[in-house]
Amino acid sequence: MTRLTPTFDRLKSDGKAGFVAYVMAGDPDADTTLAMMTGLAEAGADVIELGVPFTDPMADGPPIQRAALRALDGGMTLRGTLDLVRRFRETDTGTPVVLMGYANPFYAYGFGAFAEAASQAGADGVICVDLPPEEDTELREGLKAQGLSLIRLATPTTDDARLPRVVEDTSGFVYYVSTTGVTGSGVGETAVVSGAVDRVRKAANLPVAVGFGVKTPERAAEIARVADAVVVGSAIVDALNASGVDGALKLAKTLADAAHSAR
Amino acid sequence: MTTAPNAFSSYPDARGMFGEYGGRFVAETLMPNILALEKAYAAYRDKPEFTEPFEELSRDFIGRPSPLYFAERLTEEFGGAKIWFKRDELNHTGAHKINNCLGQVLLARLMGKTRIIAETGAGQHGVATATVAARFGIPCEVFMGAHDVERQSPNVFRMKLLGAKVHAVTSGRGTLKDAMNEALRDWVTNPDDTFYVIGTVAGPHPYPAMVRDFQSVIGREARAQMLGRIGRLPDAAVACIGGGSNAMGLFHPFLEDESVRLIGVEAAGKGVDTPDHAASLNGGKPGILHGNKTYLLQDDDGQIVEGHSISAGLDYPGIGPEHAFLHDVGRAEYRHATDAEALEMFQICSKLEGIIPALEPAHALARVRDLAKELGKDGVILMNMCGRGDKDVFSVAKALGVEL
């Protein structure tokens, strides 16, 4: 069992929604990311999503695209990303870390070898944006062998016929993409999201985290009232770029507080 | 035509795989769309409501069939096998691209889609898509790397004349692959009303097979024309390769003809042993990008590397998955030609045949020269002249140091 299940169990027994914070590995350098990860956990992040930079992030909007390019220009790699997890675990053994990225760097590393390395580094799960259930067998089996979670994405276009297959091999939590669009594009109507979260939760019997477009504490609170956790990525990435670690962590604290006190 | 289960022409399988290449590597938001497209294509491809307008407009709008032409003076110049051109550069809009656009836009109409998007590099696919969209009055938006918008301004103006909206893509490094990323992002955002017309035999299943089917009119016509003109098949069929749509269209109807060698020519830029080339098969390795598993230009970390070629139509860092398959099983051979060779052929073909070739098929012609010697005077080579070179005169003049 990963750190994810106890984390969501604790949130549930406290009657709170969780806060999932995203940061891009190596944006703009490894030390900054490590400071961000540690700081995010202190600011109240229940789960840290660590972005693995890729040259062609097809499902990401401009903020995370630019973050990936900054990270790559700074020399970040998948190996470097795993090293960041290892360094984070030297001081934090409790906060779950989920790696989020695209298939090709994982494929180039070897799906099985990557799963093993991720486990050894201390990661808890993986989200791979461009591996739908039809294509993720190797990664899924690799992660399963290591006891890590594969977290699949469900979207507004995932209909009832497809949903069981999408959630079937998911563990830890399900990531619900709140809108048809790229990351950071704007969250869907709360009422619609609420209905979708219920649908996914029922099908998966797992906690549901909602992301893609949550930017403000107000929206985070609204989503936190209907979902098990709220994910914020682009807004934190933008704040880091505009005002450094302190500015990004200040925003993260307000988002965490909003999510935790929403109910 | 029925094919044996293991015949080369029987691919892809039900999962969209050509051996270990192809597949559907897209974000979950797009999966339902991809599956719906596969279903619609299977449902309509042989129905009269699709085939009748497709055949009529292929004839009356595109100008098919394109002629088969004996390149007598080049044959003499190269001093070996007889060289024949399939003249797809005589199509409306000046290249093979429109064969595929017509098929996809007709399918989009039958599926009730009300908006067309496309990516383009040099602008040929963008112009062809805009042309067919204009013919049917469907709004069309084309994504083009900001760098290419600047380099290919005549094509940008053409697209605008045809009523299309052109988006200059500045994300990433502003190139063809970034234009494709941006088109995919648009499709993720507008999955209900939008049809994405992909310009080559790549992307998630069913695109590689569907685009090949629409382009295979090239090989079907050429095969029948060769039999009609000289009573036999060529010894080799040759085409240039970026993503590989003209080559796949030429090759596919010949896959079961064992005597016909199939030869694809990649863009070697400044040389495949330099970093500046676009030869995915000769200088890349398998990976996952833009919805399919195939050979890609990439570094050890799996990051995609930009392709380079003097021909903007060839500088894509990937290649269609069916080519990756034919390469691995050895049914097709993949060679390459440099910028300098393409420039040389561009001039030779213009002077000797009165045909200004696009820089893309000029690459193919460089290997036709070697092959003509290899096969000798009894040999017959069929090359697809997939585009005309009017679009390239400015960049060729620049490369030759000529001021216009």
Side-chain angles (χ1 to χ4, degrees):
Chain A
M1 191 166 63
T2 68
R3 296 170 188 84
L4 289 166
T5 303
T7 298
F8 280 100
D9 285 349
R10 172 178 55 76
L11 286 163
K12 193 177 179 186
S13 67
D14 292 351
K16 285 182 185 171
F19 172 54
V20 180
Y22 176 101
V23 60
M24 174 65 76
D27 172 25
D29 56 50
D31 288 344
T32 304
T33 306
L34 189 64
M36 278 297 293
M37 291 172 77
T38 310
L40 285 169
E42 283 165 7
D46 299 290
V47 176
I48 292 173
E49 241 178 60
L50 185 59
V52 181
F54 182 49
T55 40
D56 295 80
M58 288 161 292
D60 282 302
I64 292 179
Q65 291 170 32
R66 289 191 294 258
L69 286 184
R70 287 193 296 268
L72 292 170
D73 287 343
M76 185 47 64
T77 60
L78 177 54
R79 279 179 174 76
T81 304
L82 293 169
D83 195 49
L84 271 170
V85 179
R86 198 173 297 115
R87 287 171 68 194
F88 176 69
R89 283 281 171 252
E90 288 169 8
T91 57
D92 186 324
T93 55
T95 309
V97 175
V98 172
L99 299 168
M100 182 167 185
Y102 290 81
N104 202 49
F106 303 151
Y107 176 80
Y109 198 108
F111 285 124
F114 160 65
E116 195 179 338
S119 170
Q120 280 169 7
D124 297 276
V126 173
I127 301 172
C128 186
V129 179
D130 52 347
L131 284 187
E134 286 81 350
E135 305 288 357
D136 68 8
T137 310
E138 267 185 79
L139 179 63
R140 183 172 74 230
E141 286 174 358
L143 292 173
K144 201 173 174 188
Q146 299 297 325
L148 264 57
S149 290
L150 172 69
I151 293 131
R152 291 228 186 97
L153 302 161
T155 73
T157 60
T158 310
D159 57 23
D160 285 332
R162 228 183 125 63
L163 187 57
R165 178 148 194 210
V166 170
V167 299
E168 191 182 2
D169 296 294
T170 303
S171 64
F173 66 96
V174 180
Y175 190 135
Y176 182 70
V177 176
S178 71
T179 178
T180 54
V182 293
T183 52
S185 53
V187 70
E189 292 290 321
T190 307
V192 178
V193 171
S194 174
V197 167
D198 287 343
R199 193 164 70 93
V200 175
R201 203 188 271 134
K202 212 168 151 194
N205 199 24
L206 283 171
V208 178
V210 173
F212 276 48
V214 183
K215 289 174 187 156
T216 62
E218 292 72 30
R219 290 299 279 144
E222 278 180 48
I223 295 298
R225 276 179 213 117
V226 299
D228 300 297
V230 50
V231 189
V232 182
S234 301
I236 296 173
V237 164
D238 268 349
L240 174 63
N241 187 45
S243 44
V245 174
D246 289 347
L249 291 179
K250 209 168 138 191
L251 172 68
K253 177 91 173 62
T254 63
L255 292 163
D257 291 346
H260 291 153
S261 61
R263 294 189 200 153
Chain B
M1 185 171 64
T2 43
T3 50
N6 293 319
F8 292 117
S9 57
S10 68
Y11 293 85
D13 67 16
R15 292 177 51 229
M17 301 300 285
F18 301 88
E20 57 187 294
Y21 303 104
R24 292 179 279 225
F25 296 85
V26 295
E28 173 60 26
T29 311
L30 288 181
M31 269 313 284
N33 258 21
I34 297 290
L35 297 171
L37 174 61
E38 182 186 358
K39 221 177 192 175
Y41 177 52
Y44 287 119
R45 55 182 296 181
D46 297 320
K47 291 259 169 64
E49 59 261 50
F50 178 81
T51 56
E52 282 170 11
F54 185 68
E55 276 158 28
E56 182 187 328
L57 289 170
S58 288
R59 185 187 65 227
D60 302 342
F61 191 60
I62 298 179
R64 302 212 73 89
S66 67
L68 179 73
Y69 167 80
F70 178 48
E72 189 176 355
R73 297 190 68 210
L74 271 174
T75 298
E76 203 173 298
E77 169 79 10
F78 292 164
K82 291 190 173 59
I83 298 159
W84 294 77
F85 289 159
K86 177 63 175 162
R87 304 271 322 260
D88 253 52
E89 100 280 11
L90 292 176
N91 293 340
H92 183 35
T93 70
H96 71 290
K97 290 288 185 188
I98 197 164
N99 299 325
N100 165 50
C101 298
L102 176 61
Q104 289 200 47
V105 173
L106 282 171
L107 188 58
R109 269 166 58 91
L110 288 167
M111 290 175 74
K113 301 287 182 179
T114 54
R115 178 173 174 267
I116 298 288
I117 57 169
E119 86 292 339
T120 196
Q124 293 304 102
H125 174 59
V127 168
T129 306
T131 297
V132 181
R135 168 64 183 73
F136 288 106
I138 305 179
C140 173
E141 298 184 29
V142 179
F143 296 88
M144 188 171 185
H147 183 58
D148 288 330
V149 166
E150 208 170 298
R151 278 197 300 186
Q152 309 285 342
S153 54
N155 272 344
V156 174
F157 185 58
R158 280 186 191 102
M159 287 185 266
K160 288 180 180 165
L161 279 174
L162 293 160
K165 188 171 172 190
V166 180
H167 297 277
V169 175
T170 53
S171 64
R173 315 288 181 197
T175 62
L176 171 57
K177 78 174 175 67
D178 300 303
M180 195 153 177
N181 290 335
E182 213 54 42
L184 284 163
R185 288 178 190 124
D186 182 292
W187 204 22
V188 168
T189 309
N190 305 288
D192 293 334
D193 64 345
T194 298
F195 190 104
Y196 179 16
V197 177
I198 293 184
T200 192
V201 285
H205 179 65
Y207 283 100
M210 181 173 69
V211 176
R212 173 202 71 197
D213 293 346
F214 294 147
Q215 291 295 2
S216 63
V217 64
I218 299 169
R220 275 198 311 277
E221 285 178 6
R223 194 176 181 282
Q225 287 167 325
M226 294 243 71
L227 290 172
R229 289 289 293 276
I230 61 169
R232 77 168 180 99
L233 296 176
D235 299 298
V238 185
C240 63
I241 296 200
S245 69
N246 99 81
M248 215 47 248
L250 178 69
F251 292 176
H252 198 258
F254 290 103
L255 283 177
E256 306 308 327
D257 296 316
E258 278 175 38
S259 67
V260 181
R261 285 167 66 183
L262 305 174
I263 298 168
V265 182
E266 295 191 295
K270 294 171 186 165
V272 284
D273 45 0
T274 74
D276 296 322
H277 66 79
S280 313
L281 286 173
N282 283 288
K285 59 183 180 184
I288 297 163
L289 179 71
H290 292 154
N292 58 177
K293 186 188 284 185
T294 187
Y295 279 76
L296 300 171
L297 301 179
Q298 56 182 316
D299 67 15
D300 291 341
D301 188 42
Q303 305 297 338
I304 307 305
V305 175
E306 295 291 341
H308 164 86
S309 169
I310 189 168
S311 151
L314 300 180
D315 65 357
Y316 178 68
I319 187 167
E322 192 164 11
H323 286 296
F325 167 70
L326 295 174
H327 169 265
D328 280 15
V329 298
R331 176 61 188 97
E333 305 161 49
Y334 294 87
R335 302 183 179 185
H336 48 83
T338 62
D339 289 351
E341 289 177 306
L343 277 171
E344 186 194 355
M345 290 299 134
F346 185 92
Q347 297 169 81
I348 290 179
C349 185
S350 300
K351 272 185 195 136
L352 292 182
E353 293 294 346
I355 296 171
I356 302 177
L359 278 168
E360 290 83 359
H363 284 75
L365 201 49
R367 295 291 74 81
V368 165
R369 174 167 58 182
D370 311 337
L371 202 61
K373 293 198 185 83
E374 207 178 308
L375 293 172
K377 293 215 183 264
D378 294 335
V380 174
I381 299 171
L382 167 66
M383 189 195 103
N384 191 28
M385 182 57 76
C386 61
R388 65 173 185 234
D390 307 50
K391 69 179 176 64
D392 294 318
V393 292
F394 296 102
S395 47
V396 170
K398 197 176 160 200
L400 298 176
V402 177
E403 287 232 12
L404 293 182

